[in-house]
Amino acid sequence: IVAATECRYGIPSGLLDALILQESRYHPTAVSPKGAIGLAQLMPATAGSLGVADPYDPSLNIDGGGRYLRNMGASQNLVVNVR
């Protein structure tokens, strides 16, 4: 799912995987002290703005995390393969 999401959103290979590993250690029910949720550690408001209905759902969280990375990379001209 992670590699497919990176491909779908033009994210450099391994970047989303590294984010998930760092932020949640691949624990889908992880919640940070600040309230970030799930694998990609989406804040509730961010998850809502990305249309992630259930941030605890691994596939929805990964997709939302991928879109967030794409959007942030594009806004900073960091991700060159934005589709």
Side-chain angles (χ1 to χ4, degrees):
I1 293 174
V2 174
T5 301
E6 289 172 335
C7 184
R8 180 171 44 256
Y9 295 123
I11 298 166
S13 180
L15 182 59
L16 182 57
D17 176 63
L19 176 129
I20 293 170
L21 185 61
Q22 178 64 36
E23 294 297 327
S24 70
R25 296 288 188 232
Y26 274 90
H27 294 287
T29 59
V31 178
S32 78
K34 297 288 184 180
I37 300 168
L39 293 170
Q41 289 292 279
L42 300 173
M43 292 299 286
T46 302
S49 72
L50 292 167
V52 177
D54 180 3
Y56 290 103
D57 179 296
S59 62
L60 296 178
N61 191 286
I62 289 169
D63 186 75
R67 284 185 286 133
Y68 183 77
L69 278 179
R70 178 198 58 195
N71 296 344
M72 294 306 294
S75 73
Q76 300 296 316
N77 294 319
L78 299 176
V79 179
V80 296
N81 297 322
V82 174
R83 295 184 174 102

